[in-house]
Amino acid sequence: MNLLGAQVIKLSDEEFKLFRDMVYEYSGILFQDHKRYIIENRLSKRLKQLNFSTFKDYYYFLKYDRKRDDELVEVMNLLTINETYFFREPGQLRHMIQVGIPEVLKTKTDRTLRIWSAACSTGEEPYSMSILIKESGVLPAGYKLEIVGTDLSANAVEKAREAKYRKISFRSTDAKYMRHFVSQGLEYQVNSDIRLPVRIERANLLNPLDMSRYKNIDIIFCRNVLIYFDKESKQKVIDSFQKALQPKGYLYIGHSETLYGISEAFRMSNFGEGVVYTKK
Ligand SMILES: C[S@@+](CC[C@H](N)C(=O)[O-])C[C@H]1O[C@@H](n2cnc3c(N)ncnc32)[C@H](O)[C@@H]1O
């Protein structure tokens, strides 16, 4: 039984290792031993839906069935942690408006500002950026804005595209920004002018083919996801960011994350409310 009283299917030591390695290889997310209950609890329901009685049977399905790719998408929907909200870690967003964007505009050779919100979950981060850029007027007339939000979870991507949010997503939102939303029952939808520059796509940070789609980016936000990765996966992701970014492009990562010992391709600066990395 789990905490909600639902019957869970037992995950043996051997099965845990098989699932842990499969998830790690696919996504870079590393489930340590003390997190095995997450796999057991969250996937048990799926096993029952598909009529598998053991994790081993489900593992072989995921490994060899011709529907394995679609089912792996389901697995990642169930195992990712999609916690996010509007205007999270506002110091970094402020820095982007006051320093990041003005600085990258100085060296740009074209008139499109490209921002990538990598691992954006349900989209609150890219829409927060779009609101702040519009309100601040930091982008000079004649410039085009492109914000791409990406995530591994297909469910999160679908929600981000819908752009409809419940109150919980606004727990850190100043009331003055609510004019960019229209209330629809229990939800608030992002206004179309804020949605317009934002494109949402499913992309796996660990998949080189997915990552190769992102080029000439001026600013990357990748916050609160590297904590789930080990050193090797972090290095792969940062290497992709280094390739995607323009020279002197900006990279913002989560407050509890660091590139120390991961990459030498970036210069770190401390701006009081946090740190920011620029491509050397
Ligand atoms: C805690 S949320 C962070 C959302 C947002 N960046 C923020 O800071 O509020 C972490 C997100 O990382 C995504 N994620 C985990 N592994 C990923 C991968 N390999 N590729 C892309 N996204 C991934 C999850 O699906 C989840 O939505």
Side-chain angles (χ1 to χ4, degrees):
M1 291 265 194
N2 67 10
L3 284 174
L4 299 172
Q7 200 76 46
V8 295
I9 295 172
K10 199 92 197 90
L11 179 69
S12 70
D13 289 351
E14 187 202 349
E15 289 165 337
F16 168 62
K17 284 187 188 126
L18 291 173
F19 273 86
R20 179 197 60 195
D21 293 351
M22 177 185 275
V23 170
Y24 173 73
E25 239 170 71
Y26 183 75
S27 70
I29 302 172
L30 184 62
F31 281 90
Q32 312 270 18
D33 286 1
H34 66 284
K35 293 275 176 72
R36 65 185 280 168
Y37 73 94
I38 297 182
I39 296 184
E40 191 173 68
N41 277 343
R42 295 195 183 178
L43 294 188
S44 269
K45 205 169 148 202
R46 185 71 188 154
L47 260 73
K48 286 184 215 156
Q49 275 172 353
L50 298 176
N51 285 323
F52 289 115
S53 50
T54 68
F55 272 94
K56 203 160 202 173
D57 293 343
Y58 187 41
Y59 174 81
Y60 285 120
F61 178 80
L62 284 164
K63 195 103 183 130
Y64 302 112
D65 196 273
R66 72 191 156 78
K67 291 199 195 122
R68 67 181 295 266
D69 288 342
D70 293 342
E71 191 52 29
L72 272 168
V73 171
E74 284 304 322
V75 170
M76 297 322 303
N77 278 338
L78 292 164
L79 293 184
T80 50
I81 292 167
N82 308 118
E83 158 78 2
T84 188
Y85 48 91
F86 283 96
F87 306 103
R88 184 176 193 179
E89 294 171 20
Q92 291 183 321
L93 291 164
R94 249 191 315 274
H95 185 272
M96 176 187 79
I97 299 291
Q98 292 170 357
V99 181
I101 294 178
E103 284 299 318
V104 298
L105 287 179
K106 284 184 196 164
T107 55
K108 279 199 73 64
T109 51
D110 65 354
R111 290 185 161 245
T112 301
L113 178 68
R114 295 180 193 84
I115 302 178
W116 179 11
S117 168
C120 72
S121 186
T122 39
E124 287 88 331
E125 185 175 272
Y127 295 126
S128 300
M129 293 169 167
S130 183
I131 291 173
L132 292 175
I133 292 170
K134 181 164 187 130
E135 292 243 339
S136 64
V138 64
L139 203 61
Y143 275 82
K144 188 177 167 217
L145 173 63
E146 276 181 18
I147 302 175
V148 60
T150 62
D151 201 89
L152 175 64
S153 158
N155 284 352
V157 164
E158 198 183 315
K159 283 196 182 143
R161 286 188 179 139
E162 280 176 9
K164 290 180 185 168
Y165 300 94
R166 299 218 163 193
K167 276 231 163 83
I168 184 91
S169 287
F170 300 101
R171 58 190 180 270
S172 181
T173 302
D174 195 312
K176 70 180 181 201
Y177 295 131
M178 291 314 292
R179 63 193 183 84
H180 296 291
F181 299 84
V182 56
S183 147
Q184 294 184 347
L186 290 176
E187 295 177 320
Y188 298 82
Q189 185 168 38
V190 183
N191 285 345
S192 55
D193 60 326
I194 299 298
R195 290 203 317 262
L196 198 65
V198 179
R199 191 171 91 237
I200 304 286
E201 297 176 354
R202 182 173 183 269
N204 181 350
L205 292 170
L206 258 281
N207 182 321
L209 204 63
D210 286 0
M211 291 302 95
S212 67
R213 300 203 300 260
Y214 306 101
K215 297 189 185 89
N216 304 322
I217 306 288
D218 297 299
I219 296 174
I220 298 178
F221 270 62
C222 181
R223 303 188 299 173
N224 307 305
V225 59
L226 296 176
I227 32 167
Y228 302 111
F229 294 175
D230 69 349
K231 186 173 175 181
E232 201 184 320
S233 307
K234 281 183 199 161
Q235 275 167 338
K236 286 184 188 159
V237 175
I238 298 302
D239 193 44
S240 299
F241 288 165
Q242 196 253 337
K243 290 187 182 121
L245 269 177
Q246 298 269 38
K248 301 206 172 153
Y250 278 66
L251 171 64
Y252 296 85
I253 59 177
H255 278 322
S256 54
E257 297 159 340
T258 174
L259 294 196
Y260 183 75
I262 302 291
S263 171
E264 306 252 302
F266 290 85
R267 186 171 292 114
M268 186 191 91
S269 32
N270 196 320
F271 61 92
E273 287 185 285
V275 299
V276 60
Y277 293 89
T278 39
K279 182 168 151 175
K280 280 183 186 165

